[in-house]
Amino acid sequence: MAEVALTSISLEGLPKLATGKVRELYEVDEKTLLFVATDRISAYDVIMGNGIPFKGLLLTLLSAHWFKLLPTLIPNLRTHFITLTLPSAAPESQKALLQNRSMQVQKLKIFPIEVIVRGYITGSAWKEYQRTSTVHSIPMPAGLQNGQPFPQGAIYTPSTKAEAGQNDENISPAQASEIVGEKYAEKIEKLAISLYEAARDYAKERGIIIADTKFEFGLDEETDEVVLVDEVLTPDSSRFWPADKYEVGKEQESFDKQYLRDWLVKEGLKGKEGVSMPEEVVKETTAKYREAFETLTGKKWEDAVREGY
Ligand SMILES: Nc1ncnc2c1ncn2[C@@H]1O[C@H](COP(=O)(O)OP(=O)(O)OP(=O)(O)O)[C@@H](O)[C@H]1O
Ligand SMILES: [Mg+2]
């Protein structure tokens, strides 16, 4: 396989509904989307000039893995996932390009918050805690160390879902409840914590610590059900740490964008537009993403790409 990153895509025949930092959303019919992941990568809310070859396939196949697994662990869980099979309306000439980087999903009304669950204190939560002894304004016990699990168990720490070009802002669960409405806020929080706990236990057995992760939820307006949407438990949406290298009281090694983030900070490029990653950063990030994929799915990357999921 040639390792060329696909950073833009233009489909014939299907109307495009939206472009995200990573994905392109096409309409299959009134109720169905084709959710296409490119190889773009963003860090600190800015998209890099070049991409990570095959990252779109990896995110799609890993999300599909979770979409199949999680309903077996959480009773009555509804997800937006329909199939990895391409719709018949997908252009014949682009089917090879789309296969395994696209899934058909139910088109839903998205709750405009980022549903973050944290099992371990790190990143922006650690920074806030050092300043104010709180995390997303929630008071925390004294004496926590960088990277340790929250003593009270996983916590729900939502943020706003910013418009393009703006940064997400950490908010309290009470503020999130004002945005989505009390009726749904409680369901979202409960579901997010159960999802995180189920995934955390599954990953832990395989040697990966899921320090935190971001979910999105949508509303099925016909049934009034809260549905798990977007990508799920990928290295783009989560912090994955190798369990055998884990040590409380320091920054952890990780399988996600941390290598890229560290490089941007070191080079003084954090938050700058139009940055291209050098080959070394692309290679290292590719390797870390693939290792996370193989560990979590138990499948060799090459086999997964060949066979789909
Ligand atoms: N079932 C769905 N129906 C409608 N929209 C969806 C559904 N699932 C996810 N989405 C939306 O599709 C978009 C996915 O694009 P992408 O992952 O590129 O997101 P982004 O929000 O721009 O970037 P980031 O993930 O970095 O926040 C998001 O805006 C998400 O809310
Ligand atoms: Mg996204």
Side-chain angles (χ1 to χ4, degrees):
M1 288 190 284
E3 303 260 312
V4 178
L6 184 87
T7 52
S8 69
I9 186 164
S10 154
L11 284 197
E12 300 138 28
L14 288 172
K16 190 195 278 192
L17 284 191
T19 297
K21 287 194 279 295
V22 173
R23 292 177 179 75
E24 308 285 347
L25 276 58
Y26 291 89
E27 185 170 76
V28 177
D29 60 43
E30 231 173 81
K31 292 186 169 177
T32 316
L33 297 178
L34 188 64
F35 199 61
V36 184
T38 68
D39 294 337
R40 295 194 290 264
I41 186 164
S42 71
Y44 298 115
D45 284 328
V46 178
I47 304 166
M48 299 296 114
N50 51 343
I52 302 291
F54 296 97
K55 173 170 166 283
L57 277 81
L58 194 149
L59 299 183
T60 301
L61 293 175
L62 185 54
S63 291
H65 170 77
W66 290 114
F67 280 131
K68 287 175 188 172
L69 176 72
L70 290 168
T72 67
L73 303 174
I74 296 175
N76 305 321
L77 174 69
R78 264 203 58 194
T79 82
H80 73 161
F81 178 73
I82 301 173
T83 179
L84 287 173
T85 304
L86 295 170
S88 50
E92 208 53 51
S93 62
Q94 291 179 298
K95 280 194 169 156
L97 183 79
L98 290 171
Q99 190 63 56
N100 289 341
R101 67 165 71 241
S102 325
M103 53 174 71
Q104 294 193 62
V105 302
Q106 287 167 346
K107 180 177 169 186
L108 296 162
K109 188 175 156 196
I110 305 300
F111 290 107
I113 55 169
E114 310 258 358
V115 181
I116 300 164
V117 180
R118 298 172 192 269
Y120 294 72
I121 187 162
T122 185
S124 69
W126 172 242
K127 289 208 177 77
E128 179 184 330
Y129 176 74
Q130 285 175 294
R131 276 195 315 270
T132 56
S133 298
T134 58
V135 171
H136 288 231
S137 307
I138 310 162
M140 287 292 141
L144 297 187
Q145 294 185 66
N146 192 6
Q148 86 167 72
F150 287 102
Q152 69 274 51
I155 56 170
Y156 167 56
T157 56
S159 77
T160 58
K161 206 166 142 43
E163 299 290 321
Q166 314 230 300
N167 293 348
D168 297 338
E169 203 185 305
N170 290 351
I171 53 175
S172 66
Q175 286 169 300
S177 175
E178 271 168 35
I179 296 172
V180 301
E182 219 173 293
K183 177 176 162 197
Y184 299 116
E186 208 176 303
K187 276 191 198 158
I188 288 173
E189 174 168 355
K190 265 204 180 140
L191 203 48
I193 297 277
S194 326
L195 284 164
Y196 170 79
E197 288 176 346
R200 174 199 60 197
D201 295 348
Y202 170 91
K204 192 87 178 277
E205 280 175 25
R206 287 157 181 83
I208 288 187
I209 293 174
I210 304 179
D212 50 42
T213 194
K214 180 204 84 173
F215 299 111
E216 291 192 34
F217 291 94
L219 178 67
D220 183 334
E221 291 177 288
E222 280 172 24
T223 61
D224 203 33
E225 280 174 296
V226 173
V227 183
L228 179 64
V229 302
D230 206 51
E231 64 178 324
V232 177
L233 294 153
T234 73
D236 265 14
S237 67
S238 324
R239 279 194 178 88
F240 291 151
W241 296 338
D244 59 350
K245 308 258 174 63
Y246 172 69
E247 228 179 284
V248 172
K250 63 171 188 59
E251 292 301 321
Q252 310 297 323
E253 263 188 43
S254 73
F255 287 121
D256 49 57
K257 290 180 191 173
Q258 202 55 47
Y259 189 86
L260 168 59
R261 292 196 198 102
D262 291 348
W263 176 80
L264 289 168
V265 170
K266 191 179 86 203
E267 299 294 322
L269 296 170
K270 177 179 170 180
K272 294 229 164 85
E273 299 283 343
V275 174
S276 275
M277 301 171 285
E279 209 180 301
E280 178 63 22
V281 174
V282 171
K283 241 174 85 184
E284 195 63 29
T285 305
T286 302
K288 287 186 183 292
Y289 270 53
R290 287 188 189 175
E291 195 178 344
F293 177 91
E294 292 189 342
T295 310
L296 288 170
T297 62
K299 228 177 176 163
K300 282 265 163 252
W301 168 244
E302 282 76 13
D303 295 343
V305 172
R306 204 172 36 242
E307 295 159 21
Y309 229 88

